[in-house]
Structure formats: structure tokens, C-alpha cells
Amino acid sequence: MPFYPMKKNIYILAIESSCDDTGAAILCNDKVLSNVVANQEIHTQYGGVVPELASRAHQQNIVPVVHQALKEANIDKKKLSAIAFTQGPGLMGSLLVGTSFAKSFAQGLGVPLLAVNHMQAHILSHFIVDDAHKKPDFPFLAMTISGGHTQIVQVNNYFDMTVIGETLDDAIGEAFDKSAKVLGLPYPGGPLIDKYAQLGNPKAYPFTRPRIAELNFSFSGLKTQFMNFVHRNTQQNPNFIAENLHDICASLQYTIIGIVIDKLKLATKTTGINEIAIGGGVSANSGIRTALKNGEQKFGWTTYIPKFEYTTDNAAMIGIVGYLKYLDHDFSNEQTIANARFKI
Ligand code: KG4
Ligand code: ZN
């Protein structure tokens, strides 16, 4: 490993390509100078992410996205101190695009590579310096909730993390998106369920919560229950969905929020840790945000919710982990390969 001198200002280009968003960000130390994301519209018509199409779209997007990130940060690529990239977990074809790009770019510039775990990045996004955001204190509990993940992680320090609960089947975002599909809503349906839920009665239709041991989650039973409920009712009344959309969405969301809050109550009780930081696309959900905030009074916990642009998949969160690894001299090299099942 060559010697890389420690500079006052470390400029990192970070690349994220684990799923269907192509992201590039420039950080100067722990501050974000630019954070560009190209969303892939192509998947909307298929009702979910098509891995092969995602990989192709990353190939088309990556150069323009990196170019845009450098332009917005107003720095020349020769100023970069290192390149950080998502090594995993994620879709293999998508990860390969970011990994290959990062390796060649780093080699071309003669700067070190920083391989980042996407799940650690969701958690450590709370350490991006931002005036409006207070950082959590160690130890804290991190809950990552998105279309691909549902985990509760005990975070003792930046790179000392243990998964203490996770989904045994579908991710929470899938519960939202697959239920939305049953209602005929476009992908991703989570934000629409949230929008309609705000106009409906959360107690209109009672759904059963799964009984899953300890801190693990399961959403596939709720998905089946919801599908059967909608089919049964539309058989009796073909206009059931249109006439009751708000109440259906509110009831489903209420059930999902209940599952999340119950697990967090148990997690704080078992660990004795009352600091909760959330991340992932589903943390944009208004009901979950309100329930977490209300829990501060009710259950005595403190919650940390990152800025929306650092909540969904983005490269700034990859950059902050890259920066922390740079400080530790935890560099990777051109032999590093994408790891679709990379564990925390
Ligand atoms: O983190 P993210 O952008 O990508 C990954 O899946 O990794 O999360 C996307 C997920 C989708 O399932 C989407 O439906 C869900 O986050 N989502 C929401 C909301 N906004 C995004 N789910 C519920 N309510 C929302 N407001
Ligand atoms: Zn993610």
C-alpha cells in the first residue's frame, strides 16, 4: 500500500450504484459539496426494479452524474484525494458498474480507493456535517428501513455495529410497494400510500400484526393478508378501492407503523439505549416520523432523522464513510470486488 499523506482538506468523490439510483457526491472532509442522483424512471412501467435494466441505466448515467457532481462542487478531478464506492450489498450488475468505474478512475488519478458498505453508509449518514442536524451520541440504535432493507443495528462506534434485528422476508418498503401495486398504484407506491393515508381513517380496517420473536420483522404475511382483503372486497364491490382508498391506505400504514414502534420499544428496553437514528427511503414516511417524535415524550427516547436527500439512496452517505475510512487509513485496492451480500 503506497503512503498517502494526511492533508488538511480531504476531497472525496463517492459513487453509489447498489440498486436503481446512480449517485455521485463530492465531500470536503465531512461536508458535502455536491450530491447528485439520477433516478431510473424505466422501472415504473414494470412495477419494480428490473436488475438488468438497472445495470444498463447505471452505465449510461455514471459519467454524466460524476461530471455533474464535480461541476457543482466546482473542483477539478486532480484535486481529489480518494474515490469511495459502494461495494455492497445490492444488485450485482448494478454494483459492478460503480465498482469498475471507481477502480479505473482511482487508478487513472493515482489516488486510493475506499470500499464502503451501503448499510453502514445509511447509518453513518447522520455524521455528515449539516447545521440543521444534530449527530447521535454513541451508543445508539439505527433503524434502516427502505425498499431493500429493514434492520435494527446497535452502533457502538463508527465501525463497531451489530445487527440486532432484521426482516426474515420482505423489506418494509416492499410491504408498501407491493400493497400499492395491489391497489393499482404506480411503483414505488410507498409515497402514495403515505399521501392517501393522511386523508383516511387508520382504524377503518383492522389488519393483524405478525408475531415475530425478538427484534426480527416479517412483512410477507401482512402482504398476503392485504392482498386477500382487497380481492375479497373488490369481488363484492368492484369500486371498493376507489371508494375507500384513503381508509385502506391509512389502515395499512397504521399497521406498519405499529410493527415498527413495537420493535423499537422492545429494542430500547433490551439494550437500554434510548437514542434512535433512522435512515432509508421509508423514513420519509410522515406517519413513521410522527410516531417516532411522539415516542420522545411517551417512551423517553431521542430520535434523529437525516435530511431527506441523505435518507434515500445517495452518494453523500458513501462519501462520509469514505472520509471516516480515510482517517483510519482503511484503504482498499483494485483487487476489491463487488459483494452483493456484504454484511455490516
Ligand atoms: O432508500 P430507498 O430510496 O432505496 C432502497 O430501497 O434502498 O428506499 C425506497 C423505498 C421504496 O420502497 C419507497 O416506496 C419507500 O422507500 N418510500 C416510502 C416513502 N418514501 C419512500 N414508503 C413509505 N412512505 C414514504 N413517504
Ligand atoms: Zn439503501
Side-chain angles (χ1 to χ4, degrees), residues 86-106:
T86 307
Q87 186 184 0
L91 301 170
M92 187 43 106
S94 294
L95 291 167
L96 283 173
V97 179
T99 308
S100 325
F101 181 91
K103 282 189 202 173
S104 348
F105 207 48

Side-chain angles (χ1 to χ4, degrees), residues 318-340:
I318 305 301
I320 189 71
V321 182
Y323 170 67
L324 294 166
K325 289 197 157 199
Y326 194 105
L327 295 183
D328 281 353
H329 281 196
D330 184 5
F331 299 115
S332 91
N333 56 42
E334 58 279 4
Q335 264 94 51
T336 308
I337 52 168
N339 181 353

